[in-house]
């Protein structure tokens, strides 16, 4: 499958072979595949166990794709070296003027290829709301969101259809909620609702203006390309 992808970042055949053996030995099977695009935001849910992370990495390697993840830029040695080896994207969470989402958007706009893996639940306990960072990173960088899943009832791990954020997060979350409603976590009692914090009127207006800006920017680029062509 690795050779079928032309645009996505890839791992070598050694890691792909290793992951294939691990998944076979554990009795799991793969389902789906990512879109053949160079950059995307991939989410992993439901996230109730550390095993979930391992399975998602093995899934990606078996598919022949390389994933990245967010790490703090002040990790001590040797964690910083391990993070760098594992394609970690360093962000500054402590800078007074920093915006994590914008930092990641800027990074994704700068690089040619990247599959960013995010677990929106964030913790291994039941949470009331998903973090919305994955959504606004994808929206800001004009990238698809690719939902990944680990279904412990069927021992299936994989990906479903990509979602391109519309700017209406509540509506888009409805599609994710419907999909993940049929997925069984390792610890179902730790699974919270698939929802984000309610948007205030001021926040909705600010986000709408930002989305209009993204759309206008994309339209300008497209128009310029047609003119140059």
């Amino acid at each position: 499958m690795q050779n079928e992808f032309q645009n996505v970042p890839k791992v070598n055949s050694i890691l792909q072979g290793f992951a294939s053996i691990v998944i076979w030995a554990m009795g799991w099977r793969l389902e789906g595949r990512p879109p053949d695009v160079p950059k995307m935001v991939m989410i992993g849910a439901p996230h109730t166990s550390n095993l979930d992370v391992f399975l998602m990495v093995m899934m990606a390697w078996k598919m022949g794709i390389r994933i990245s993840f967010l790490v703090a830029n002040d990790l001590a040695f040797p964690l910083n070296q391990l993070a760098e080896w594992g394609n970690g994207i360093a962000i500054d969470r402590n800078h007074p003027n920093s915006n994590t989402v914008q930092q990641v958007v800027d990074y994704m706009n700068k690089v040619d290829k990247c599959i960013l893996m995010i677990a929106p639940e964030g913790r291994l306990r039941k949470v009331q709301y998903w973090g919305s960072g994955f959504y606004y990173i994808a929206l800001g960088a004009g990238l698809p969101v690719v939902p990944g899943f680990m279904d412990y009832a069927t021992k299936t791990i994989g990906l479903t259809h990509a979602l391109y954020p519309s700017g209406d997060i509540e509506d888009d979350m409805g599609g994710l909620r419907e999909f993940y409603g049929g997925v069984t976590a390792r610890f179902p009692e730790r699974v919270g609702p698939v929802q984000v914090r309610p948007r205030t009127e001021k926040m909705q207006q600010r986000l709408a203006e930002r989305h209009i800006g993204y759309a206008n920017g994309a339209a300008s680029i497209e128009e310029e390309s047609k003119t140059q062509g």
Side-chain angles (χ1 to χ4, degrees):
M1 181 176 291
Q2 182 178 6
N3 294 329
E4 296 179 13
F5 293 119
Q6 301 298 319
N7 299 299
V8 299
K10 303 181 179 109
V11 297
N12 59 49
S13 58
I14 295 176
L15 292 179
Q16 190 174 16
F18 170 76
S20 297
I21 294 172
V22 169
I23 290 177
W24 171 81
M26 294 178 66
W28 284 71
R29 64 183 180 88
L30 263 62
E31 182 177 290
R33 57 178 291 163
D36 191 10
V37 296
K39 294 183 283 188
M40 68 191 81
V41 176
M42 187 179 292
I43 58 178
H47 181 39
T48 64
S49 165
N50 286 322
L51 181 59
D52 301 334
V53 179
F54 177 76
L55 286 171
M56 289 301 292
V57 172
M58 291 298 102
M59 175 206 71
W61 288 2
K62 179 174 170 55
M63 290 183 175
I65 60 178
R66 184 178 74 248
I67 58 176
S68 298
F69 55 95
L70 302 179
V71 298
N73 66 343
D74 56 356
L75 287 176
F77 182 84
L79 293 179
N80 57 349
Q81 294 299 313
L82 290 173
E84 182 177 350
W85 177 81
N87 303 308
I89 300 172
I91 57 172
D92 185 354
R93 298 181 184 272
N94 301 314
H95 194 285
N97 297 321
S98 68
N99 178 296
T100 299
V101 169
Q102 190 59 52
Q103 285 185 66
V104 182
V105 169
D106 291 342
Y107 176 86
M108 297 298 280
N109 285 333
K110 179 177 63 176
V111 298
D112 294 327
K113 295 183 178 183
C114 184
I115 298 177
L116 174 60
M117 172 66 71
I118 295 179
E121 290 161 290
R123 303 180 183 182
L124 299 179
R125 59 178 175 80
K126 186 174 183 178
V127 295
Q128 189 65 23
Y129 301 107
W130 277 23
S132 59
F134 78 93
Y135 185 89
Y136 291 111
I137 290 169
L139 180 65
L143 304 176
V145 173
V146 182
F149 65 94
M150 299 75 59
D151 192 327
Y152 284 82
T154 61
K155 299 196 77 171
T156 305
I157 180 172
L159 306 169
T160 189
H161 303 296
L163 161 72
Y164 281 85
S166 67
D168 185 341
I169 189 171
E170 299 294 346
D171 184 63
D172 291 340
M173 288 298 294
L176 293 176
R177 185 160 46 249
E178 180 178 357
F179 170 73
Y180 282 111
V183 178
T184 302
R186 186 180 188 190
F187 299 111
E189 67 278 7
R190 297 180 183 176
V191 177
V194 180
Q195 62 183 8
V196 294
R197 291 186 182 279
R199 313 286 101 172
T200 64
E201 185 175 343
K202 182 177 180 179
M203 185 181 298
Q204 289 281 29
Q205 179 62 30
R206 177 164 53 84
L207 293 172
E209 292 172 354
R210 182 185 298 175
H211 180 55
I212 291 172
Y214 295 146
N216 289 341
S220 298
I221 293 172
E222 182 178 357
E223 188 62 33
E224 182 179 348
S225 299
K226 290 180 180 179
T227 303
Q228 292 177 351

